[in-house]
Amino acid sequence: VTFTVLPEGTPAAARAEDALAAVYAANDLAAVDFAAAIDAAVLGDGAFKVVWDEVERRPVVTAVDVQGLAAWWQADDPRRVTRVVQRTSVPAEEARSRYGVRADGGPVAVVEDWRPERFTLTVGGVTRRAGPNPFGWLPYVIFANAPRPQEFWGESDLADLLDVQRELNRRLSVVAGILELSGNPIAVLENVEAADGIQVGPGALWELPEGARAYLLDLLGGGGVGLHMQYIDLLYRVLHDLAETPRTAFGDSGRELSGAALEVEIQPLVQKVKRKRRAWDSVFARRNALILDLLERFGGLDLGGARRTRTVWPPILPADWDATVRNEVQLVANGLRARRTALAHLGVDDPERELALIESGSRAVGQSGSGVE
């Protein structure tokens, strides 16, 4: 994703966009965000921590394990967090070198207690720091994967899928057992007192007494396996419906469909992605505001108080690039869209720089052709 700092087109906004891009590159936030999204989808919640590194003089953004977080919020507004406590553990050697705490043996518990006005750090049960919060705000962005109404914590994407997946595993195990037994056929002997020396294999000869009968048990006859497979297909359908991910999303439509029909068929996944993006819009807006605040207050960067950002997402589905470019050109030509916005929609990371290059190139072409008759 890319970001546009609001209000657009101002020198301060351009500096803020460049600074955000540098912070994202320095912290490798593309990989961090992907891991956090997977973590939140499994656990139900995700969190980021945004602090200022005095040694490197830059913001540091990390993904936090929500299983080590405790949060408090206002009763009438779960979005307003009033306190966050993070509990981690560090090796004894790191506790001595980093925090000056003597520790022997196993890991040492580190507890950070953050409030808007106060910060307390406890290492191994010893308070190492207690005083004003240097930031004036909580350096955490906690978000719910699938928010529950009027609740702070969210729900995992796997909540509705686990039972179906377990049943699918059981049915597949049953079919696997049937196929294994069919590959090693069971010999059935009737009116035989003993089966010593009878072996099933190519070229085997059996001597049976009069009135006896021998045959191989056919577990695949009668359509029994077909019923199992129909049930497995039904479980697959339930799994895809609950996950809002049609088989078409994997390129398996099973029939020839037009592009519009495929788009309609994949619409559940598109709607799910839009919901996810709406949640991440809020996450990015809050996290970018914290980063910009740190850059201006502690990094000395003049951003003119810019804190608001807008996320620019790429298309969800494959699009006709030529048609997209033509649409953007027509909107700009008719005065319905700014050139900068069109470049952002086309995926240009730095529209301001691109516009400057276009103008400088146009001037160079004009100057070179000015003396030609």
Side-chain angles (χ1 to χ4, degrees):
V1 299
T2 57
F3 304 99
T4 298
V5 177
L6 305 176
E8 300 181 31
T10 63
R15 289 192 297 271
E17 291 173 3
D18 291 340
L20 272 179
V23 170
Y24 269 65
N27 289 273
D28 193 15
L29 288 186
V32 172
D33 291 346
F34 182 80
I38 298 296
D39 206 25
V42 174
L43 299 176
D45 302 278
F48 295 102
K49 186 177 182 181
V50 183
V51 295
W52 179 259
D53 190 326
E54 283 290 350
V55 177
E56 299 185 9
R57 304 294 299 171
R58 66 178 180 88
V60 175
V61 184
T62 55
V64 178
D65 184 2
V66 293
Q67 297 176 103
L69 287 182
W72 289 258
W73 55 89
Q74 291 187 359
D76 58 344
D77 189 357
R79 297 172 301 176
R80 303 188 65 178
V81 182
T82 58
R83 180 187 179 190
V84 176
V85 174
Q86 180 182 3
R87 181 183 178 88
T88 57
S89 60
V90 298
E93 181 178 353
E94 183 176 350
R96 289 192 297 269
S97 61
R98 184 176 178 182
Y99 301 107
V101 174
R102 293 186 177 181
D104 298 320
V108 179
V110 178
V111 179
E112 299 180 35
D113 188 348
W114 292 89
R115 302 169 189 253
E117 70 285 347
R118 188 169 181 81
F119 168 62
T120 304
L121 175 65
T122 305
V123 183
V126 179
T127 301
R128 303 302 300 170
R129 180 179 174 184
N133 184 338
F135 308 125
W137 34 255
L138 302 178
Y140 294 91
V141 178
I142 305 174
F143 62 96
N145 173 66
R148 298 187 182 102
Q150 305 303 320
E151 292 189 18
F152 181 76
W153 301 110
E155 188 176 48
S156 169
D157 284 344
L158 306 180
D160 297 328
L161 306 180
L162 290 177
D163 291 338
V164 180
Q165 184 63 59
R166 293 190 183 102
E167 180 63 17
L168 180 61
N169 289 341
R170 285 193 290 266
R171 292 303 99 196
L172 290 174
S173 298
V174 169
V175 173
I178 293 175
L179 295 178
E180 183 178 3
L181 291 175
S182 299
N184 299 277
I186 302 172
V188 180
L189 304 176
E190 294 182 358
N191 300 324
V192 175
E193 296 180 355
D196 296 337
I198 296 179
Q199 299 281 338
V200 178
L205 296 176
W206 297 351
E207 294 183 2
L208 300 176
E210 186 178 355
R213 190 167 73 95
Y215 60 91
L216 298 178
L217 183 63
D218 185 10
L219 296 178
L220 301 180
V225 175
L227 293 176
H228 285 289
M229 296 306 299
Q230 291 176 17
Y231 184 50
I232 288 175
D233 288 339
L234 180 61
L235 290 176
Y236 266 122
R237 179 174 178 178
V238 172
L239 193 66
H240 284 287
D241 288 349
L242 291 177
E244 300 176 82
T245 310
R247 286 297 305 172
T248 308
F250 299 91
D252 181 20
S253 63
R255 58 195 187 280
E256 293 185 1
L257 297 174
S258 66
L262 285 172
E263 188 171 342
V264 171
E265 191 162 303
I266 210 173
Q267 196 64 21
L269 180 59
V270 173
Q271 297 295 340
K272 182 177 182 178
V273 172
K274 286 182 177 180
R275 293 199 306 271
K276 295 282 188 179
R277 287 185 172 184
R278 179 64 62 86
W280 278 88
D281 280 338
S282 176
V283 173
F284 287 140
R286 286 183 287 163
R287 191 174 70 181
N288 290 342
L290 300 184
I291 293 173
L292 294 175
D293 190 58
L294 292 177
L295 288 171
E296 190 160 36
R297 290 172 54 199
F298 298 93
L301 187 62
D302 182 14
L303 302 178
R307 300 292 184 270
R308 295 174 55 213
T309 58
R310 179 175 58 85
T311 308
V312 180
W313 295 96
I316 299 176
L317 299 176
D320 185 346
W321 179 253
D322 291 337
T324 302
V325 172
R326 287 195 300 269
N327 290 338
E328 294 296 334
V329 170
Q330 290 178 0
L331 290 173
V332 172
N334 294 325
L336 299 177
R337 178 167 291 170
R339 290 193 301 163
R340 186 185 186 284
T341 305
L343 289 174
H345 286 179
L346 292 175
V348 177
D349 293 335
D350 191 348
E352 294 293 342
R353 180 174 178 274
E354 194 69 22
L355 286 173
L357 291 175
I358 293 172
E359 292 176 0
S360 62
S362 300
R363 287 195 300 268
V365 172
Q367 291 174 0
S368 63
S370 59
V372 179
E373 294 182 0

